Amino acid sequence: MEEKQDTKLQQIIGYDEAYYMPVFGKRVPLVVDHGRGVYLYGTDGKKYMDMIGGIAVNTLGHNNGKLVRAISSQARKVIHCCNYYYNEPQTMLAKKLVDMSFADKVFFANSGAEANEGAIKLARGYWSKKGTPKPKIITAKMSFHGRTLATIAATGQEKFRAPFAPVMPGFDYVPFNDFEALKKAVDAQTGAIMLELIQGESGVHPADFDYIQAVRKFCTQNKILLIIDEVQTGVGRTGTFFAYEQYGIQPDIATLAKGLAGGVPIGAVLANQSAATGFGPGDHGSTFGGNPLACAAALAVLEEIESKGLLNNVNNVNAYLVKKLNSIAKKTKKIAEVRGKGLLIGIELDSGSASDVKMKLFEKGFLVSSIGSNVIRLAPPLIISKFQIIKFISALQDVLEGKE
Ligand SMILES: *Cc1c(COP(=O)(O)O)cnc(C)c1O
């Protein structure tokens, strides 16, 4: 039995090497079979605590009954119908997101990159329709906005753009958390500023409260659209439904994706009434975007967040997790900094490789992600309990102390 299942792992890895484009490099040697709650199970029958949650996607964990029922009952009714027609889950999800946010209008896409493409187009459309095109958008260095051609242009990291030149023009990059630099970069062509509130992909770096306040005031005074990319920080991840709530601001445009439908692909562009004028009939579209299956899943996720009080859980678990991480930082002297909000946490190692720590945790049955050479990122399902965190902390401490 053991041997047969090990063969499965080797077979899948072999086929992946043969048939899949190698963009993910060498993956962690786990063939996921199924999941339940905060745990994933491999084809070898081993159980792993999922501390990365599909990169902030599995909001409700795995195999959540309410989500599974919403998806299956919607699938029995209709999975897809094109946007020539209305569908109830799409409309009700748009209404719900408007009720919960700064926004007046919503558009649905299928991923984070696609939502950001929509936001970029919307900002350009807004200025064109006013008769004063302002195509330039300022973004932050070390930001991440996606892998499509417009979103790598928006992403302030050369390594994502260089091999795919020519890059779409119209983006300027400024150091993150540096308001003076941002002010200097603005000119008559600047139509929007696009920021993350926590730079997740480059190592979990939160924006400063004062910086975001200053940027908001500046955008209002200078009539520049503020786009907040909440693809990773949204849907309760940081302890409020949107991270912008913690910065005391409202954006003009925001994007959501990862956690919104708990694992079913979806993206959303949210805009206030004024910014939303950037799109009129015929200006944008999507075949799959807003389909009944994805929207029914998202509605179930939002209902579960409310009915289970998951925002409270995120805040309680955060307080406990950060306290424990800081205490093992003191004990082991192997952690330089613990950053982040809610259940989006970066652990910067003092010494040693993050990827080694990731692999040792994997051997002990815990899944985390490593960013760059020295940051471990945690983004577990919002349902995770303190009891489960205790187990993770103990494993992490063992790994940092070199215990087997
Ligand atoms: C993941 C991510 C994206 C891209 O989302 P995809 O669904 O992978 O296209 C964009 N912005 C941020 C902040 C992200 O974390």
Side-chain angles (χ1 to χ4, degrees):
M1 187 74 178
E2 281 280 301
E3 208 168 291
K4 189 170 149 231
Q5 283 165 340
D6 210 33
T7 315
K8 176 76 156 192
L9 180 76
Q10 293 316 319
Q11 184 194 46
I12 294 294
I13 290 174
Y15 281 171
D16 180 82
E17 274 169 14
Y19 303 120
Y20 207 83
M21 294 194 192
V23 295
F24 303 112
K26 200 165 158 6
R27 310 194 206 198
V28 175
L30 162 65
V31 181
V32 173
D33 183 67
H34 65 280
R36 179 166 286 274
V38 299
Y39 296 99
L40 277 176
Y41 296 81
T43 47
D44 57 3
K46 277 194 199 141
K47 175 179 172 181
Y48 297 89
M49 190 185 289
D50 186 3
M51 294 297 292
I52 189 60
I55 318 181
V57 168
N58 299 105
T59 307
L60 306 179
H62 303 284
N63 203 351
N64 170 277
K66 180 131 190 192
L67 178 58
V68 171
R69 278 192 300 278
I71 293 168
S72 51
S73 79
Q74 185 58 50
R76 277 192 295 271
K77 284 169 126 182
V78 61
I79 292 175
H80 176 84
C81 58
C82 60
N83 284 311
Y84 296 158
Y85 318 109
Y86 303 93
N87 80 75
E88 188 175 340
Q90 179 186 104
T91 313
M92 295 320 285
L93 181 61
K95 178 179 187 304
K96 177 108 188 152
L97 288 171
V98 165
D99 289 346
M100 295 172 74
S101 75
F102 74 98
D104 298 302
K105 299 275 189 200
V106 176
F107 174 83
F108 293 119
N110 308 288
S111 67
E114 221 188 294
N116 285 337
E117 289 266 343
I120 292 163
K121 261 181 83 173
L122 184 65
R124 286 190 174 182
Y126 171 86
W127 289 109
S128 302
K129 286 200 164 55
K130 277 187 174 301
T132 51
K134 293 188 183 191
K136 270 174 54 175
I137 298 179
I138 295 175
T139 67
K141 291 188 176 160
M142 302 311 288
S143 58
F144 182 82
H145 297 295
R147 299 290 204 148
T148 61
L149 284 167
T151 58
I152 58 171
T155 292
Q157 300 188 61
E158 180 66 13
K159 67 175 181 198
F160 292 117
R161 298 190 297 263
F164 309 105
V167 172
M168 177 182 153
F171 292 91
D172 280 335
Y173 317 104
V174 295
F176 193 47
N177 279 332
D178 182 343
F179 178 59
E180 292 307 314
L182 185 139
K183 256 188 353 194
K184 260 186 230 148
V186 170
D187 63 26
Q189 295 287 298
T190 306
I193 291 168
M194 180 169 180
L195 294 171
E196 293 156 276
L197 294 175
I198 299 178
Q199 293 187 328
E201 292 303 305
S202 61
V204 190
H205 294 281
D208 297 335
F209 182 88
D210 294 344
Y211 174 66
I212 296 300
Q213 286 270 316
V215 172
R216 175 67 272 181
K217 277 197 198 103
F218 180 78
C219 284
T220 306
Q221 279 161 5
N222 294 279
K223 298 191 164 55
I224 294 169
L225 297 171
L226 178 59
I227 306 172
I228 297 291
D229 177 347
E230 293 241 23
V231 166
Q232 190 157 162
T233 53
V235 196
R237 177 61 43 195
T238 68
T240 44
F241 188 81
F242 295 92
Y244 74 72
E245 297 168 51
Q246 294 176 55
Y247 286 86
I249 61 134
Q250 297 199 327
D252 299 296
I253 300 171
T255 53
L256 289 176
K258 289 191 165 86
L260 181 55
V264 179
I266 193 168
V269 185
L270 285 69
N272 63 24
Q273 198 73 50
S274 165
T277 59
F279 282 161
D283 283 340
H284 199 47
S286 173
T287 300
F288 290 123
N291 92 24
L293 189 81
C295 293
L299 282 166
V301 168
L302 301 185
E303 277 163 29
E304 279 284 270
I305 290 175
E306 269 174 27
S307 69
K308 293 253 171 79
L310 292 183
L311 296 182
N312 264 334
N313 189 58
V314 171
N315 292 312
N316 291 337
V317 172
N318 165 279
Y320 185 75
L321 174 61
V322 169
K323 193 178 91 189
K324 289 291 169 191
L325 286 172
N326 284 323
S327 101
I328 59 172
K330 258 205 194 121
K331 265 188 228 154
T332 62
K333 309 224 181 311
K334 296 272 170 62
I335 294 174
E337 192 181 26
V338 176
R339 296 187 291 261
K341 292 179 192 293
L343 288 175
L344 179 53
I345 299 292
I347 305 165
E348 187 171 320
L349 302 178
D350 211 13
S351 56
S353 123
S355 136
D356 282 356
V357 170
K358 172 180 77 179
M359 291 313 294
K360 285 186 183 139
L361 281 168
F362 170 67
E363 281 156 25
K364 288 181 179 292
F366 296 87
L367 306 177
V368 301
S369 86
S370 59
I371 305 177
S373 62
N374 64 348
V375 178
I376 298 285
R377 172 176 46 181
L378 309 179
L382 308 190
I383 58 165
I384 197 163
S385 69
K386 270 190 201 173
F387 174 70
Q388 288 154 340
I389 293 293
I390 291 170
K391 292 189 169 173
F392 170 72
I393 288 290
S394 146
L396 179 64
Q397 184 169 343
D398 286 352
V399 166
L400 293 177
E401 286 174 344
K403 285 190 199 143
E404 283 311 304

